[in-house]
Amino acid sequence: MALDKAQIEQELAKALSAISQAADLDALKQIKIDFVGDKSPLAKANQALGSLEATQRAEFGKLIGQARASVNSAFELKSNDLSDKRDLVALQTEKVDVSLPVRRVLKGGLHPLTILTNEIADLFIGIGYNIAEGPELESEWLNFDALNIPADHPARTMQDTFFIEPIEAKLVLRTHTSPVQIRTMLNQKPPIYVICPGKTYRADELDATHTPVFHQVEGLVIDENITMADLKGTLDYFAKSIFGKNVQTRLRPSFFPFTEPSAEVDIFFNGRWIEWGGCGMVNEKVLIACGVDTKKYSGFAFGMGLERTLMVKHGITDMHDIVEGDVRFTQSFGVGIK
Ligand code: PHE
C-alpha cells in the first residue's frame, strides 16, 4: 500500500468529523469500528509502515501516530460526553416519586388461634417449660385407660368420641390433650415441665359455643414437692399473661378421673367469674401407670380450651367466627395488613 500525506490528512479529517457528529453511544460504537479500530484506514496505514524504507517510515510513522492520537483523544472526549448525557437523561426520566401512595399487598397472616397458641408457648417457654406434642389419632388406652377413665365413663360413649374403624384397632380422635401427659411421663424422667397445645375432637354439632374440632392447651409438671400452691401460682401467671394483670383466678372443687384433688379454674374478668378450664394434682394411679416414683414425685396438670380462651379474651360471642375463616374476622386482629 502506497502512503500519501494528503490521504492520511483526509482520513484524519473524516474520522474527526464522524466523531464530532456522533449522536449517541450506539453511533459511536460503529465509528469506533470504522475509524479507530484495527480495520480503520489509519490502522491499516500504520500496518503498511513496515513496507517503507527507513527514512519514509520515520516521517510517515510520526504523521500516522499523531493522526491516530488525535482520533483517539477526540473519541475519548466524545465518548465521555455522550455517557454523561445518557446518565443525565436516565436520572431525569427514571426518577422515583417517593410521595406516591404505596399499593398494599395483603400478605395473609396467622389465624388468631395460632397467634394465641404462640403467645402461650412463649410465656411458658419463658419460665422454663418445654412444648410436648402427640398425635391427633390416639390409642384408646392413652386417651382414656391410662388417664384412669374407666370403660363405662360417659366420655367414652359414641356421643362424645369419634371412634375410628375398625373398632378393634382401638383408635380414637383424641378428645383432649391429656394423653400427651401420659406420653410425656412414659418417655422422660422427672422433673417434667411441659405444655401441650393441640387439636382435639368431640362429636358435637357446630353452634355458637361448640365445634367438633377444637384446641386445648395442657400443662403438666412433675417434680419434687409440687403442691396445689404451685398449680395456683402457675395458673395466676398464665391468666395474668393472657387476660391482663388485674385478672383474678379461683379454684372450684371438681372431678376428673386423672387428677385428685381436681378443680375448675375460673377467672374474674370484665366484672364476672368465667369458667376457664380444668386442673388438679395428677392422680397417683396415673403416676403409677406411667412408672413415676410417687414417694419422690408429685405433680399438677391443667387444661383449657383455646377457642374459649380467645372468645373470653376478645368478647367473641359466636364460635362460627373462629372456625369459618372469614378474612374480615381475622383482619380485625390486625392479621394480613402488615
Ligand atoms: N382433659 C380435661 C378436659 O378435656 C381438662 C383437664 C386437663 C383437667 C388437665 C384436669 C387436668 O376436660
Side-chain angles (χ1 to χ4, degrees), residues 303-325:
M304 7 298 235
L306 291 180
E307 280 79 359
R308 181 164 177 78
T309 304
L310 196 68
M311 287 172 96
V312 170
K313 180 172 177 179
H314 296 287
I316 300 163
T317 49
D318 193 344
M319 183 70 81
H320 290 87
D321 287 338
I322 298 180
V323 302
E324 278 173 358

Side-chain angles (χ1 to χ4, degrees), residues 49-269:
L49 283 174
S51 60
L52 298 181
E53 314 174 354
T55 51
Q56 279 216 313
R57 195 187 300 157
E59 188 188 340
F60 277 101
K62 196 173 166 200
L63 192 64
I64 294 169
Q66 282 169 347
R68 296 189 82 196
S70 58
V71 170
N72 280 340
S73 78
F75 182 86
E76 207 56 37
L77 280 174
K78 189 71 178 179
S79 170
N80 289 341
D81 180 40
L82 288 175
S83 305
D84 287 350
K85 284 195 176 124
R86 178 204 52 196
D87 292 350
L88 194 67
V89 170
L91 280 175
Q92 280 166 351
T93 57
E94 293 170 20
K95 71 182 171 194
V96 175
D97 182 352
V98 291
S99 69
L100 278 178
V102 292
R103 208 185 306 148
R104 276 196 169 174
V105 180
L106 299 189
K107 279 190 195 154
L110 299 176
H111 189 276
L113 264 181
T114 311
I115 295 172
L116 176 67
T117 308
N118 292 345
E119 206 180 313
I120 294 171
D122 278 354
L123 69 93
F124 277 101
I125 286 171
I127 54 169
Y129 282 56
N130 290 314
I131 308 293
E133 283 179 318
E136 290 162 31
L137 186 58
E138 187 56 284
S139 79
E140 234 178 284
W141 188 79
L142 288 163
N143 194 79
F144 295 123
D145 303 79
L147 286 160
N148 193 36
I149 304 176
D152 57 1
H153 192 279
R156 271 168 101 133
T157 66
M158 285 292 185
Q159 287 153 30
D160 282 312
T161 307
F162 285 114
F163 289 87
I164 301 299
E165 292 186 322
I167 290 296
E168 310 79 74
K170 296 202 171 295
L171 288 174
V172 298
L173 287 176
R174 67 179 178 195
T175 58
H176 50 179
T177 43
S178 300
V180 186
Q181 287 186 31
I182 306 295
R183 288 177 171 274
T184 307
M185 286 189 274
L186 289 175
N187 285 323
Q188 65 191 73
K189 298 220 163 331
I192 292 171
Y193 289 80
V194 293
I195 59 154
C196 163
K199 223 174 245 177
T200 46
Y201 301 81
R202 284 182 204 174
D204 283 321
E205 290 291 328
L206 175 63
D207 64 23
T209 52
H210 296 88
T211 161
V213 184
F214 59 108
H215 298 75
Q216 286 189 337
V217 61
E218 191 91 6
L220 174 70
V221 167
I222 308 286
D223 204 346
E224 292 177 41
N225 304 316
I226 295 293
T227 70
M228 272 194 103
D230 300 306
L231 170 60
K232 179 76 161 70
T234 306
L235 290 169
D236 266 354
Y237 165 74
F238 185 9
K240 286 187 162 61
S241 307
I242 295 296
F243 298 103
K245 62 179 181 348
N246 291 327
V247 81
Q248 293 172 55
T249 61
R250 89 178 164 196
L251 299 185
R252 235 177 338 109
S254 185
F255 174 78
F256 297 101
F258 37 94
T259 46
E260 182 59 36
S262 302
E264 304 286 342
V265 51
D266 299 339
I267 55 167
F268 193 75
F269 184 66

